Amino acid sequence: MQDKASWQQKVDDSVMVGPRLHGWGTFPLNGPNGMHPDSPLFHGTKDYEDVRQLVDHYANMPDEHQPTFLKTYNWIPPESYKALARYAKERGFKLSGHMPRTMTLADVIDAGQNSIAHARLFIFDCSSQQAELRSGQHWDTPLVDLYPMLIQAFEEDTCVSRYEQMAEKQVFLNPTLMTRRNDYYGVAGKFSDMLGTDYGHYLLAMEWEEDIAQHGTNISQEGIAAFRDFYHLSAATVAQASKHGVVLLAGTDSWSEYNVPGFSLHEELQAMSAAGIDNFTVLQAATINGAKYFGIDDRIGSITVGKVADLIMLDSNPILDISNTLDINTVFQGKVIYKAEHIEGLKCNPPRKK
């Protein structure tokens, strides 16, 4: 977090080229068995005392180093999660991230989580097998077998009340459609269809290949279709959530399988549009909605007199075709201006092999 604050200052001072960071989260809070090995023991959140120490640890950091949100993950124990939600609110922190796998969407919303990541959450929560999933069953089933089961068990009518509850409580949804699409593209061998992978370091490319290999080798056409259909169903639930008033955020899970920062954001917008979300709503997910999430929409997120002049000028209209977000003429980052040819010159091709 100190590094992020330092990088941000260098960007603001035009010493470093990069995005403005308006907020950041903690390491994932994933329970005692899912800790980062370098984390202090209280990061395991096994009980209330761990929760209290963790929240106090971040609250006592200097303001410029404090995280904006505490990132929840899959296996944080339910009682620890509820205690975290209560104490984080007392200390002024948002909760964002995964919906813990042993909890329902209603549980997470009632606890006060501000945003939830990954579109698959609806497929799990609107399932006729939800109770089995929440009790820990099926999680060790290979995805090639799990996905057909989940698709078969999905109940769209059940999801309507979930969408409405999220909208009513103003809980943001960060679909990260690229995670599911890239799983599908990876097992299908559609690597040339993914943007920006030439700019990923060769070590990352090796890691991506290993991650995809975990789904199985020599997957049948039927198995590939299961990955495709799960991705498409995930995207369809996002479109339905949006129609019911859920506010979307544009995120990609950068550096997960074949997700290259910058490139993958444009692909995420294209996936939202392809799912049936109108392009104006898609653009809001990438602009004003993020500003609203961070509570700084009075300063950024729209073109308004008095706001920060961080703008992108395009040569083609993204309302007509969302892929036109790639047709960049100029980027204005406050007083710093980057023309298209300058941006192209900033790109580099690191070696892809030793």
Side-chain angles (χ1 to χ4, degrees), residues 95-295:
L95 284 193
S96 296
H98 289 206
M99 178 174 70
R101 291 184 175 176
T102 55
M103 302 182 71
T104 67
L105 180 57
D107 292 334
V108 170
I109 293 173
D110 288 342
Q113 185 157 326
N114 300 89
S115 76
I116 305 174
H118 306 313
R120 67 186 180 213
L121 71 93
F122 294 119
I123 300 178
F124 295 143
D125 208 67
C126 305
S127 172
S128 61
Q129 301 192 35
Q130 186 208 94
E132 294 180 16
L133 291 164
R134 298 306 171 208
S135 69
Q137 297 182 52
H138 307 302
W139 291 110
D140 57 352
T141 302
L143 295 183
V144 69
D145 300 315
L146 179 64
Y147 283 171
M149 182 194 79
L150 291 173
I151 293 168
Q152 182 67 32
F154 178 69
E155 298 176 334
E156 175 61 38
D157 291 344
T158 303
C159 258
V160 172
S161 62
R162 276 36 168 204
Y163 304 146
E164 291 174 343
Q165 187 182 17
M166 282 191 76
E168 179 186 356
K169 298 293 185 179
Q170 299 181 329
V171 178
F172 293 84
L173 172 62
N174 181 9
T176 64
L177 291 174
M178 288 301 93
T179 55
R180 302 287 72 79
R181 191 213 64 172
N182 288 356
D183 278 349
Y184 159 48
Y185 278 12
V187 299
K190 296 164 69 74
F191 303 108
S192 63
D193 292 344
M194 295 182 277
L195 292 179
T197 54
D198 288 344
Y199 295 94
H201 194 276
Y202 72 86
L203 292 176
L204 279 169
M206 292 170 59
E207 185 175 320
W208 292 336
E209 291 168 4
E210 291 171 1
D211 289 343
I212 292 297
Q214 290 178 7
H215 299 320
T217 56
N218 300 319
I219 294 178
S220 67
Q221 289 301 309
E222 184 179 7
I224 292 171
F227 279 84
R228 179 201 63 205
D229 293 346
F230 190 83
Y231 161 55
H232 287 158
L233 179 57
S234 298
T237 65
V238 175
Q240 286 301 312
S242 178
K243 288 178 181 178
H244 283 83
V246 176
V247 179
L248 305 180
L249 300 173
T252 67
D253 234 19
S254 289
W255 293 129
S256 63
E257 292 100 324
Y258 302 101
N259 270 323
V260 181
F263 294 96
S264 57
L265 177 59
H266 292 280
E267 292 189 291
E268 183 76 14
L269 302 185
Q270 292 171 28
M272 288 183 179
S273 179
I277 302 169
D278 71 89
N279 289 344
F280 186 77
T281 299
V282 172
L283 290 174
Q284 288 180 313
T287 54
I288 191 65
N289 292 354
K292 288 179 177 178
Y293 169 75
F294 285 115

Side-chain angles (χ1 to χ4, degrees), residues 39-76:
S39 298
L41 290 178
F42 58 70
H43 230 267
T45 57
K46 69 179 184 299
D47 53 28
Y48 175 76
E49 181 58 26
D50 275 0
V51 167
R52 187 190 63 79
Q53 288 188 54
L54 180 138
V55 176
D56 287 345
H57 168 75
Y58 290 115
N60 292 332
M61 286 183 169
D63 289 347
E64 65 271 19
H65 296 159
Q66 281 188 13
T68 313
F69 60 89
L70 309 182
K71 182 172 181 178
T72 56
Y73 214 65
N74 294 332
W75 299 114
I76 181 171

Side-chain angles (χ1 to χ4, degrees), residues 19-50:
R20 294 193 199 275
L21 302 177
H22 295 289
W24 47 75
T26 62
F27 277 122
L29 307 179
N30 200 26
N33 297 320
M35 291 173 54
H36 189 281
D38 296 329
S39 298
L41 290 178
F42 58 70
H43 230 267
T45 57
K46 69 179 184 299
D47 53 28
Y48 175 76
E49 181 58 26
D50 275 0

